[in-house]
Structure formats: structure tokens, C-alpha cells
Amino acid sequence: MRQEQEFIDGLYARADVLRGETETSVADALAQGANPMQARLERDILVAERSGMLAALNAVDGSLCFGRLDLADGTVHHIGRIGLREDDAERTPLLIDWRADVARPFYLATGHTPMGLRRRRHIATEDRTVTALHDEILDLHDATRTGHEDPSGDAVLLAALDAARTGRMGDIVRTIQADQDRIIRAPHRGVLVVEGGPGTGKTAVALHRAAYLLYEHREVLARRAVLVVGPNPAFLGYIGEVLPALGETGVLLATVGELYPGVRATATDTPEAAAVKGAAAMAGVLAAAVRDRQALPDPVIAVRHDREVLMLDEGLVAVARDRVRALNLPHNAAREHFEGHILNTLTELYAERVGTDPYDGTSLLDASDLTQIRDELAENPEVWSAIHQLWPRITPRRLVADLLAEPEGYLSAADADAVRRPVTRAWTVADVPLLDEAAELLGVDDRRARSRAEREREEQVAFAQGVLDVSFASRTYEFEDKEEGDPDGSEVLSAHDIIDAERFAERHEEADHRSAAERAAADRTWAFGHIIVDEAQELSPMAWRLLMRRSPTRSMTLVGDPAQTAEAAGVGSWREILDPYVGDRWEHTRLGVNYRTPSEIMDLAAAVVRAEHPGFEPPGSVRSTGVRPWVRDAGGDLPGAVAAAVAELTPDEGRLAIIAPRALHRRLAARLDGVTAGAEPDLTRAVVLLDPRQSKGLEFDSVLVVEPGAYGTSDLYVALTRATQHLGVLHTGELPEALRRAAATA
């Protein structure tokens, strides 16, 4: 124990030195901010590198090292969350990053396949103090013993499974199992589907895969960023500390409702509305709505110009519209071409009126006359009023809001009734993919932005030229003031000799110091280097269209469980999700071991699903607690029964979740101290109140499920499998058959 403590002390001493060096280097580099050209570039690079190291060190403070490998040749490697080197970069690292190839035997070696190891040691620490050692002997011919041997090799894993929950997911870097390691280190390219039932660790595996990919493909993924998509904000808060604890901060975590910049989905759809909005057919509905806004005159539009009235009839406009549509450009981007066609048409109409010889019908106007007429028409407000009426600029928000306010003509009567809402209503999660689809169909008319940028650029160049001129005048004066023949004077160079005004302006443009993840969050068209989707079975076809736009390389990891599909718009089938985008070019793997849920609880949950799907096979639990879940009738006072059950189930340490229908939350919260309803739950509280959808992907020491008869089978399956220790069920209404049998045998 003393030897490992001395190593840990030395490790943290080195880390503290690095922190000091890093902070000093960053401060020194920032102090050089006024230095020009190359120094500025070097400063930016140094700040990024040093700040990244400082962030990684600070993120993993308290648990840098967790393992040791003793090789057959006497070499010893210590394994940690990040890598640390001595000052001599050529020497073996002081601490090896868990993602490095040399660390892989820590997760894969067995007595049958020792992978060159004599011993594998798990090091438990509290802050900077070593609290326990667990040794696994892999070379059975080695008689050396330390007194810390773990005969089963499962002590560290079981301790982690039995530990009290904190309301935040912890990393599993100390306890990654062999089947999980193979998924974490799977090749970067392509689509990998990771299926697994409750408690199989699929979310943790996906997050560690993100950390591994960022380590293995740093140059690409740090530049393009990794996107992790979760089912709800509570879930994102729950997993939010995992990647920083592994030294990775350049990842964007978001729900689908947060993937359209500037929009925050705060309203809630009915299941019927969400199903209609999420259907793939909505892409065609939006396309039709855009085409309908590319109007024809009814019957004509009169444009007055210089005492003449020019008539734009249906036939003339239809020709212009068809030609522009043939370009297959987004609506707003195509407007420039439509404007050109209409201006040309009006120019021809006007030229026929004023520039035709009345005797022989020949044109009296040359090309310059026609150009002048066109320019004058382009300054006529009535022309632009007509163009706006025929081909208006449209924003995605306006298009979707108008469509949902008046959906008749685009949807069936029942579907129209389901989605109809006032224009002023807040956005829902299901609206976000519609906004994204609309943005694709509409595009951006960026002429004004380009013109503004060009003006700003010209101003910057002019300013830079002025600076250079002043520099040149100053240097010339200095040179002329020197005595003739002075060698120093003959070597004087002006700024003009090494840089021109445009390059000088470029050097002093405002640098964007945002991380790739921050820039990606603000850019709807960002292409991510890799995307991880949790609870992927719940996403609608329209949500998948949004995500596939953000992954043009189709580099994705999808994790989920079709048996837990609950959303009305959820696809639930991997083939249905992926066939439209990658065909059969995707890989599927399954995690079959339940690390979270004790067998007593899992048996009950599986029985609920088997009542509807007799062939259902749940993941096998690795542990049994000997504590059976209970099912009770709450009698006439449901809130009182819940309060009593909470007092019974609340652990000394850890967390309790009450999972109940949303309609009951206010009544229940009124009888529970410190429990709130209506807001996003704070999962770090001892007791939280959730509905089944909010509990997806989460885990608690104890769970109380209220009114299970109000849930569908998948929602109930989710609710019953959140507990790591204790499960209770309270009801006043009819019970599902499987729970009725459990109550009868309790």
C-alpha cells in the first residue's frame, strides 16, 4: 500500500507542477497579445494546447490513477484517466491514458489469455489517498503474493454497482468489461448500433467511445466536434460530468429540441400531434407548402412604370417559375434568379411598348437602352412588390408556424386537428425537425450579408493601408535623417517590404476563440465528426432526417433498446431507421449483461413485458440482493401512502425516484418535503419526482412506481428497471396481470 501511495503522491506532485507551468505559460502567452504576425499565431496555438491540458487536469482531479499492469518482463505501467509524462518525452509515460493500446490488457486480459501480464491491480483512491488495492493474478505460475489478491476478480465491479448513486452518472473507466471495450474501440467510420436492455451500460459505453474516438482521432474530431444526443435535459444533466472526468470537454451534448440555433422547445405536444409531426410524410408536406408560396398571378399583376402599365399574367410568370424551379435551388436562394427572370420579362414588355417602330415593327433600342430600362425597373417599388407577392422571402419559423396554424389542404382532417395550434404558441421538440427541414427547403438569400461583409472588408483594408502608409512615412523620415553611408540606415525596411494591406488586415481580424462544440451549437449546417445518439429508438423519421444532415460522413454510434420504445413517433426498428440513409452498411452489436438491476427486480419487470410479448428475453443480471420488490394497494389516500413509502425507501445515502403519471405530480409534491413538480428535476436531490419518459437512461438506489396501470408496457418496463437496490409499487387502480401476481405472492 505504501509503494502505491508514494507513486500517487509523486503523480499528483507532477500534476501540480504541470498545472503551475500551464497557468504560467498561458499567462505569458496572453501577455504577448500585442506582438505581431508569427508571435500571435504561436500564442494562439500555445494557449489552446496549454488550456486544454489545464482543463483535463482540473477535470480529473482526485482520481488520476486507477490501475497498474505488471508485465511478465518486469515492466510496470500505471493506468489513468489521462496520460502524464516526465519532462523527458522519450521516457515511458508516468501515467498511461486508459485509451492507449498498451492499456488495453487492463480490460481484456484473462487467466486463459494473460496478454503478457503477471498481475492486474485495481487502485481505489479517495481524493489523493489510496484506500484499497485489488490484485488479479494472471500468471498462475507466479507464486508471488501481495496480500491484496481478489480471488474472483469482481470486487471492484461489485463495489461500483453497490455504491450509492449521486444523481450524476460516473465514468466506468475502472470497470470496463471486455465486451464493452470492444465496442468502445470499434472503428471510427460508419454506423455502429449498440443494442442493450436496461442496465447493460450502453450509455456509459457510448460516452467512453466518444472519449476514445477523440483520443484516437484527435486531429479530425477536435476540429469537427462530437455530438451526443440525449432524450431530455434531465438525462443530459445526468451524464454531463462523464466526459469532463475523462479529460474531454470538446463535446456538444444536446436534445433534438436544442439542435436548431435560436429555438428552445418549451411546449409539449400530445402523442397524436408528435406522431403526425414526426412522420416522414411531413417532409413532403413542407415541400408542398413552399411550392404553394411560389405563386402565379390571379389573373394578372399590373406594374406601373413611366406612364406605362405592364401586365404580368399567369403564362409569363409560369415560364419564369418553371425555369427557376428547374435549378433545384432552395427557395430563398433561388429568388435571385426569379428576380432576374421577372426583370427581363418586364424589360421586354416595356421595350415593346416604347421601342418598336410603328411601321415595320422592328426594335429601335440597342443593348445599352435595354440595360438602362432594366436598371430603371429595378428601382421601381411596384416591381419589387410584385416579385415579393410571387416569390416571397420566407423564414423557416414563419413557414412552420403558418402551416401548423392552417394545416388544412396538407393533412387529413384528423391529422390537421391533431397538430393545429396558434401561430404565437411556443415550439415543441417535434417542431424542431420541421424547422430544420424548412431551413433546408428555403435556404438563405445571403446577398445582403455578402455585401455587408465586403464593405467591412474594404474598410479593414483601407484602415490597414493607412497604418502601413504611416509606417512607411515614419521609416522614410528615419532613413533620410541618418548620415550618408551609415550601414544601419541602408538596411532599413518598411512594412511595405514584407506585407501588403490585405494581408495586414487579415492578420488583425478578430479571431474566433470559441471551441468547435460552441461553434457547432450556433451553426445549423455544422457537419460533426461523429454523432452518438442515446435512446435512438425513440427518434422520429423527421428527427433522423435532421441528424443525418449533421453527419454527411454517416459516422455514428446509435444506442438504444427497441423494447423500451415509448414515443408515438419513435421508429423502434434499426432497419427502418437506417435503410433510407446507409442501406445495409451498418453494424449491430448487443450488450446482454445487466449491471444495474438486481435479478429480483429484473424478474418482475421481464414478467410485465412477457405478458404482452411471450418470447421476450431480458438481459441477465450479474447480481442478486435478496430483496424482493413489493406491490401494495395505496387505499384511499394515495399522497399519504406515497409519503409513507418514501420514508420507508429513502436510503441513508444515494437517491430515490418517485415515478408517477404527470397528472399526479402536484398532488404528490404537496405532501413531500423538498420535492417539486413542473420543473426539470434536480437529480442531485435525495428524492426526485419523475414521469416514466423523464426516467429514461437514469438510475437510482430506490424507486417507487405509482399507479402502474396508467402506463403502457414499455413505459412501465422503463420505470421498473431504474432501481439498483429497492423497488416498491403503489396503486389505487387496476394492476397489470404480472404485477397482480407479484402482489398476490408478496
Side-chain angles (χ1 to χ4, degrees):
M1 185 84 76
R2 179 194 293 181
Q3 183 179 7
E4 291 296 355
Q5 185 62 61
E6 289 175 352
F7 174 80
I8 295 294
D9 290 341
L11 184 68
Y12 278 101
R14 174 61 182 155
D16 289 341
V17 169
L18 278 173
R19 284 191 180 92
E21 290 178 349
T22 299
E23 289 169 340
T24 301
S25 298
V26 172
D28 290 346
L30 288 172
Q32 299 175 31
N35 291 355
M37 303 176 193
Q38 187 63 30
R40 177 170 181 161
L41 177 61
E42 291 174 355
R43 179 208 65 186
D44 290 343
I45 294 173
L46 182 60
V47 168
E49 291 179 347
R50 296 290 190 173
S51 297
M53 171 59 75
L54 185 60
L57 282 170
N58 289 336
V60 299
D61 189 25
S63 55
L64 280 173
C65 178
F66 57 81
R68 183 176 118 176
L69 300 178
D70 290 12
L71 278 64
D73 63 4
T75 304
V76 173
H77 294 315
H78 282 85
I79 312 300
R81 286 172 168 77
I82 62 172
L84 286 177
R85 288 187 174 274
E86 296 281 11
D87 293 328
D88 182 359
E90 299 299 321
R91 296 177 59 187
T92 300
L94 185 67
L95 185 65
I96 293 175
D97 193 298
W98 67 276
R99 296 165 288 190
D101 284 342
V102 72
R104 200 167 190 193
F106 188 79
Y107 303 109
L108 298 184
T110 65
H112 184 266
T113 309
M115 301 178 70
L117 298 187
R118 290 190 304 110
R119 179 185 294 107
R120 171 171 49 210
R121 168 169 287 181
H122 295 267
I123 304 171
T125 60
E126 184 174 340
D127 294 326
R128 302 187 179 193
T129 301
V130 176
T131 57
L133 302 177
H134 299 276
D135 286 346
E136 296 176 64
I137 305 301
L138 298 173
D139 180 358
L140 300 181
H141 300 291
D142 184 353
T144 304
R145 294 295 181 264
T146 64
H148 302 291
E149 281 72 26
D150 173 12
S152 69
D154 293 331
V156 174
L157 173 62
L158 293 176
L161 298 180
D162 287 331
R165 270 43 190 173
T166 65
R168 293 288 182 263
M169 176 182 277
D171 66 68
I172 61 168
V173 67
R174 293 181 300 160
T175 59
I176 292 171
Q177 303 300 293
D179 58 338
Q180 297 173 329
D181 183 81
R182 284 188 283 272
I183 294 171
I184 289 169
R185 298 173 190 263
H188 168 218
R189 297 297 179 185
V191 177
L192 176 65
V193 174
V194 183
E195 184 177 326
T200 54
K202 54 187 180 294
T203 297
V205 167
L207 294 173
H208 286 69
R209 175 164 168 74
Y212 171 77
L213 293 176
L214 282 162
Y215 173 84
E216 191 71 7
H217 306 280
R218 176 77 60 189
E219 184 176 346
V220 173
L221 295 185
R223 184 174 67 251
R224 300 309 310 163
V226 172
L227 170 65
V228 177
V229 180
N232 54 60
F235 174 84
L236 295 181
Y238 176 65
I239 68 172
E241 296 177 3
V242 174
L243 287 167
L246 298 174
E248 299 297 346
T249 57
V251 179
L252 176 63
L253 276 63
T255 66
V256 170
E258 297 168 332
L259 289 178
Y260 191 89
V263 167
R264 181 173 175 81
T266 57
T268 303
D269 275 316
T270 64
E272 295 77 15
V276 174
K277 293 177 181 180
M282 285 301 295
V285 168
L286 287 164
V290 172
R291 290 175 69 87
D292 285 348
R293 282 152 178 77
Q294 298 165 359
L296 295 175
D298 184 23
V300 296
I301 294 178
V303 176
R304 295 175 176 80
H305 183 71
D306 195 19
R307 298 191 301 276
E308 298 289 338
V309 178
L310 309 177
M311 297 295 185
L312 286 173
D313 61 28
E314 181 178 346
L316 291 172
V317 175
V319 170
R321 186 179 70 173
D322 291 345
R323 288 176 177 172
V324 174
R325 283 179 173 177
L327 299 174
N328 290 321
L329 294 172
H331 173 87
N332 289 330
R335 175 173 160 130
E336 180 177 2
H337 298 275
F338 184 78
E339 293 169 2
H341 281 292
I342 295 300
L343 284 170
N344 289 341
T345 298
L346 291 172
T347 298
E348 291 172 4
L349 291 175
Y350 186 80
E352 288 177 3
R353 295 278 186 88
V354 303
T356 302
D357 190 309
Y359 297 104
D360 58 14
T362 59
S363 176
L364 302 175
L365 305 175
D366 59 21
S368 62
D369 295 325
L370 295 176
T371 299
Q372 182 176 348
I373 292 171
R374 193 180 190 281
D375 291 343
E376 291 171 352
L377 283 165
E379 296 178 358
N380 185 339
E382 290 196 23
V383 173
W384 294 106
S385 176
I387 290 173
H388 184 71
Q389 180 179 338
L390 299 170
W391 199 288
R393 291 188 181 91
I394 312 172
T395 66
R397 300 190 196 197
R398 173 53 59 186
L399 178 71
V400 174
D402 288 348
L403 174 64
L404 297 178
E406 298 182 12
E408 291 79 11
Y410 297 102
L411 299 170
S412 68
D415 288 350
D417 287 341
V419 303
R420 186 182 292 106
R421 63 168 217 193
V423 172
T424 56
R425 187 179 172 186
W427 299 108
T428 69
V429 171
D431 292 333
V432 169
L434 302 185
L435 291 166
D436 196 72
E437 187 76 24
E440 285 292 304
L441 293 167
L442 295 172
V444 177
D445 183 352
D446 63 351
R447 285 175 290 171
R448 294 177 181 174
R450 291 201 311 265
S451 177
R452 182 169 58 253
E454 182 60 29
R455 288 197 305 272
E456 292 174 354
R457 173 68 178 165
E458 290 173 355
E459 292 172 359
Q460 290 171 350
V461 171
F463 176 78
Q465 186 64 58
V467 172
L468 291 174
D469 289 344
V470 170
S471 172
F472 176 73
S474 174
R475 288 289 188 173
T476 301
Y477 177 81
E478 178 184 348
F479 175 72
E480 291 176 346
D481 193 48
K482 288 184 177 288
E483 295 182 1
E484 184 177 352
D486 186 340
D488 292 332
S490 63
E491 296 297 327
V492 172
L493 297 176
S494 75
H496 283 284
D497 294 312
I498 58 174
I499 194 169
D500 59 22
E502 290 196 10
R503 291 179 61 196
F504 189 65
E506 289 173 1
R507 295 281 190 180
H508 290 79
E509 286 179 356
E510 187 67 28
D512 188 348
H513 292 295
R514 294 177 300 170
S515 69
E518 290 169 332
R519 286 181 283 123
D523 185 353
R524 190 195 68 81
T525 64
W526 190 272
F528 288 91
H530 193 79
I531 295 180
I532 291 174
V533 186
D534 203 293
E535 302 293 349
Q537 77 281 350
E538 302 287 8
L539 269 59
S540 71
M542 289 302 294
W544 282 112
R545 289 176 67 87
L546 177 154
L547 288 179
M548 290 298 175
R549 291 188 194 103
R550 285 153 176 76
S551 181
T553 62
R554 303 294 188 259
S555 180
M556 309 178 83
T557 301
L558 314 180
V559 297
D561 180 13
Q564 298 183 62
T565 304
E567 295 292 343
V571 177
S573 162
W574 304 123
R575 189 160 298 284
E576 287 182 53
I577 291 169
L578 295 172
D579 273 0
Y581 304 102
V582 297
D584 60 357
R585 300 184 305 279
W586 52 281
E587 295 185 30
H588 177 274
T589 187
R590 182 172 179 82
L591 294 168
V593 179
N594 187 334
Y595 298 100
R596 174 204 303 145
T597 317
S599 58
E600 293 85 357
I601 295 175
M602 199 64 211
D603 290 344
L604 176 63
V608 169
V609 180
R610 284 199 189 102
E612 187 172 316
H613 305 286
F616 173 72
E617 284 298 328
S621 297
V622 299
R623 64 195 177 102
S624 170
T625 61
V627 180
R628 296 183 59 81
W630 52 258
V631 182
R632 299 174 186 166
D633 190 325
D637 181 13
L638 178 62
V642 168
V646 167
E648 175 185 343
L649 288 171
T650 300
D652 294 333
E653 295 181 351
R655 301 294 180 269
L656 164 70
I658 306 166
I659 302 178
R662 183 65 67 93
L664 295 177
H665 281 198
R666 293 194 181 280
R667 285 179 57 203
L668 298 181
R671 296 286 293 273
L672 299 167
D673 292 338
V675 177
T676 58
E680 285 296 334
D682 179 359
L683 299 177
T684 63
R685 288 180 174 269
V687 181
V688 294
L689 182 59
L690 309 167
D691 64 33
R693 306 289 172 88
Q694 289 176 309
S695 73
K696 271 186 172 293
L698 308 181
E699 62 182 20
F700 305 89
D701 299 272
S702 301
V703 171
L704 177 64
V705 177
V706 180
E707 296 292 22
Y711 310 152
T713 299
S714 60
D715 277 340
L716 182 54
Y717 181 54
V718 169
L720 293 173
T721 54
R722 300 303 98 194
T724 66
Q725 302 292 340
H726 304 95
L727 172 67
V729 179
L730 279 177
H731 68 98
T732 59
E734 191 73 15
L735 281 173
E737 179 60 29
L739 291 181
R740 188 182 302 115
R741 289 197 298 269
T745 58

